[in-house]
Amino acid sequence: METERRPGLHVQKKGIIKQPDPVKPSPNNTDEEDLDGEDMQKEALSRRNAWEPSVFYSLGSETFFFTGQEISIRESLDCLGAVVWPGAVALCRYLEKNREQVDLLDKAVLELGAGTGLVSIVASLLGAWVTATDLPDVLSNLNFNLSRNTRGRCRYTPQVAALVWGQDVKRDFPSSVYSYDYVLCADVVYHHNFLEDLLITMQYFCKPGTTLLWANKVRFQSDLRFIENFKNVFDITLLEEIPQEEVRIYQATARKSGQQHDV
């Protein structure tokens, strides 16, 4: 979940934050032994980035079980993006039980507003080459969770990158270089001021041949307005609705040239 931006928050500078690799590498050696908890923490801490806060207020951790693996997610009081939300859990369940319909094996996957990284972790465990993105101040915890839960378990090592919706996306992720088979989004729509930027970013990455999967809990009237705009921009299918959780999961693809409406 991407959190509200503040002045000066977009700190991406050439030579400080490396952009993600656009070309999928060779699969990892699946015989590599998993690290124990202490080693995984050392590995994550050794990869601290320039934006990591000096103080981290931890809520502890939540444990999930997907793809036969135990996933431990560290949460934080720092921001909304460091908490696991219902849409993320619902999307993980959907990906796990629909592996034939949504085959992520060897696919290039981008997650927008990755938050704690749960969805990116599950996608990685399902064999995808994942780039998890969010605001710079979320990336420390995101990187920690990805590292501790995927090291030695995944076919490809996931990447973490800063991405601010609607800002410098064309410069930092030029479409001539970056392309994705799937774009994943979970609980990125709630009461914030950047819904138009989010929709523009979704459109940018959802090229012909790309499938976008979006799971969200409907909380506010603004969520329903976003859904209507979403339907006007993409060809969409409601894949699943979970009434007790008020969560919907949509699949979207780019409209053919000439059919796209303005938001």
Side-chain angles (χ1 to χ4, degrees), residues 69-130:
Q69 302 278 359
E70 180 178 312
I71 300 171
S72 179
I73 297 294
R74 184 176 71 176
E75 295 183 312
S76 165
L77 292 172
D78 288 350
C79 58
L80 293 173
V83 178
V84 176
W85 296 96
V89 178
L91 184 54
C92 289
R93 287 199 301 256
Y94 184 86
L95 294 174
E96 181 180 44
K97 72 181 182 181
N98 293 279
R99 300 187 199 191
E100 292 186 4
Q101 296 93 322
V102 183
D103 182 8
L104 297 183
L105 182 64
D106 293 325
K107 299 299 193 302
V109 171
L110 176 75
E111 185 180 5
L112 301 177
T116 61
L118 179 62
V119 173
S120 286
I121 290 165
V122 171
S124 296
L125 293 172
L126 289 170
W129 180 51
V130 175

Side-chain angles (χ1 to χ4, degrees), residues 24-233:
K24 185 170 61 181
S26 299
N28 293 327
N29 181 356
T30 54
D31 293 330
E32 180 182 4
E33 293 185 0
D34 196 2
L35 300 177
D36 62 29
E38 183 178 353
D39 285 343
M40 284 191 289
Q41 185 169 355
K42 288 179 180 178
E43 167 69 15
L45 293 175
S46 71
R47 296 168 58 187
R48 282 183 174 178
N49 294 302
W51 55 78
E52 183 173 12
S54 58
V55 179
F56 191 92
Y57 301 96
S58 177
L59 282 174
S61 63
E62 286 199 59
T63 301
F64 301 88
F65 293 88
F66 290 107
T67 72
Q69 302 278 359
E70 180 178 312
I71 300 171
S72 179
I73 297 294
R74 184 176 71 176
E75 295 183 312
S76 165
L77 292 172
D78 288 350
C79 58
L80 293 173
V83 178
V84 176
W85 296 96
V89 178
L91 184 54
C92 289
R93 287 199 301 256
Y94 184 86
L95 294 174
E96 181 180 44
K97 72 181 182 181
N98 293 279
R99 300 187 199 191
E100 292 186 4
Q101 296 93 322
V102 183
D103 182 8
L104 297 183
L105 182 64
D106 293 325
K107 299 299 193 302
V109 171
L110 176 75
E111 185 180 5
L112 301 177
T116 61
L118 179 62
V119 173
S120 286
I121 290 165
V122 171
S124 296
L125 293 172
L126 289 170
W129 180 51
V130 175
T131 300
T133 68
D134 212 307
L135 293 172
D137 62 349
V138 177
L139 299 191
S140 171
N141 194 50
L142 172 59
N143 190 61
F144 177 87
N145 285 327
L146 280 169
S147 179
R148 77 187 296 187
N149 289 287
T150 64
R151 182 68 182 270
R153 295 180 175 185
C154 294
R155 188 169 172 82
Y156 300 95
T157 301
Q159 304 182 100
V160 173
L163 191 157
V164 180
W165 299 335
Q167 287 192 19
D168 301 324
V169 176
K170 291 182 179 180
R171 184 198 69 189
D172 296 335
F173 293 82
S175 57
S176 60
V177 177
Y178 291 90
S179 64
Y180 299 95
D181 300 298
Y182 286 92
V183 175
L184 306 179
C185 312
D187 265 323
V188 290
V189 174
Y190 51 100
H191 191 61
H192 60 74
N193 297 323
F194 309 104
L195 294 177
E196 184 175 347
D197 292 332
L198 170 61
L199 190 55
I200 290 170
T201 303
M202 286 176 163
Q203 286 180 266
Y204 178 76
F205 285 110
C206 193
K207 305 299 184 185
T210 301
T211 299
L212 186 148
L213 300 176
W214 167 44
N216 222 90
K217 179 172 181 175
V218 178
R219 301 174 177 86
F220 307 105
Q221 192 66 31
S222 57
D223 300 355
L224 298 175
R225 289 194 295 270
F226 182 91
I227 291 172
E228 290 306 309
N229 289 333
F230 184 74
K231 291 178 179 179
N232 288 333
V233 171

